[in-house]
Amino acid sequence: MGNFLLIFLPISALFCNFAPKQYMVMNRIIARTNEIKSLERMYRSGKSEFIIVYGRRRIGKTFLINNLFADRFTFSFVGSRKQKQAIQLQRFASQLKYYSGSQYAPALNSWEEAFNELRVLIERRPAEERKVIFIDEMPWIDTPHSAFVEALEYFWNAWAAQRTDILFIACGSATSWMVNMLVKNQGGLHNRITEQIYLRPFRLGECEEYLHDMGCMWDKYSILQCYMAMGGVPYYMSLLNPEQSLAQNIDRLFFVKNAPLREEFEELFNALFNQADKYIAVISALAGRREGMLRAEIMEKTKLSGGSLTKILNNLERCDFIETYARFHSSVRNTFYRISDPYTLFYFKFLHNTNTKDEHWWTNNLHSHSVEAWQGFSFETICMTHIEQIKQRLGISGIATTTSCWRKLGDSSSRGTQIDLVIDRADRIINLCEMKFAEGPYSITKDYEEKLRNRMAIFREDTKTKKSLVTTMVTTYGVARGIHSGVVQSEVLMDDLFA
């Protein structure tokens, strides 16, 4: 996650009552305040704890754990992707040798033997010491017929859980494995997980803090554009060169030969999912429909169905690649699926199945219609993942709400219309949100005012709602005042999304 100066505090300083913000700044951990507090609380609990830390690849899971515990691990091990069990066990044995200070690595033939040796290592440590065990990329360790999970279950239930000094941290990027094999485990680990820490992508305000910390002193408009290409993935942002403009960075990271983020997509999905081609097929289908797709439409497009499609959709949502949006006052069967990850949208718009050789493509096409249209859609997507910031700006954070979309299909006598974000409030008000990306204040024309008023009337007639309707504009720099701007009753600005 970039070149950072890591300053490790002595253990007495780390686990006393200090200001968490000060600690994060020293170790360059941005935005993970709640996660740090949870880990500190588990460390001091006085009993054995089984913690899982999960989230999509490149999100900073290992960075977080290493920065908090690296100089106080009793044992740590990282699984290797696509390596046979014998290689995994050999590397586990090497770590046992390292942490024990022994001259020899034990010969391991099974994971049960491996955990028995780990038990021996722990028992040799001082009784008053908190034993921190960190196993990273655990899904990669669980190779076919390895019996890894069964050995882990026995290690925890028969021994570790009986003690009071174990802090066991399991980490992995394959979110589906972490959830299905650990959180929803129906065997020996059922209800044994004492803490779940899910690391989500950064939001805009956290990206601003991160980028400014690494020397990219960009304004909010530039950071918003950066977010449209990279989302809130810390590793992607760590590749930025503060001495280059945003356009130069995008060319270097996406469009030059062997650009690191051009090849990232295939590697990302293959690392996260078994049968990655099916997941990519679903994402490809969704990428072709900006308004999203119903489950039945995804089935028709991909030829996937039943439990297989359900598993894929659930796993994509768990990894923050897609989100579900219900139709206003409609059944679950009418739920829309839509890509929510900005990086994925950028990849499919500009890189997937394209053969451009122009290494300065982004700089040369920055003001093209294609890029401007994509910016408008990407801004809508970002707004949908910043609902809490929108509610905060509207002053309704404490009011119960539901969010949805609404569509009215056209017929021979009238055109269809839609609202991508409807906020239905418990105080009997509905915000009909319109999202517009612009380089300056957005001007409401006569035609657009008429469109907004007609749409509100159609919405009221179609939904039969008795609630008050409010037209809300979410824009970069606000709505320009003019004779047609009175149709807008509330506003949310780009700055508000950074809250």
Side-chain angles (χ1 to χ4, degrees), residues 1-17:
M1 283 185 53
N3 297 319
F4 297 110
L5 176 62
L6 304 182
I7 304 173
F8 294 103
L9 300 177
I11 189 168
S12 60
L14 176 60
F15 296 104
C16 64
N17 293 324

Side-chain angles (χ1 to χ4, degrees), residues 483-497:
I483 60 175
H484 303 293
S485 62
V487 68
V488 178
Q489 296 155 289
S490 62
E491 290 186 66
V492 178
L493 278 61
M494 171 181 63
D495 285 3
D496 301 317
L497 300 180

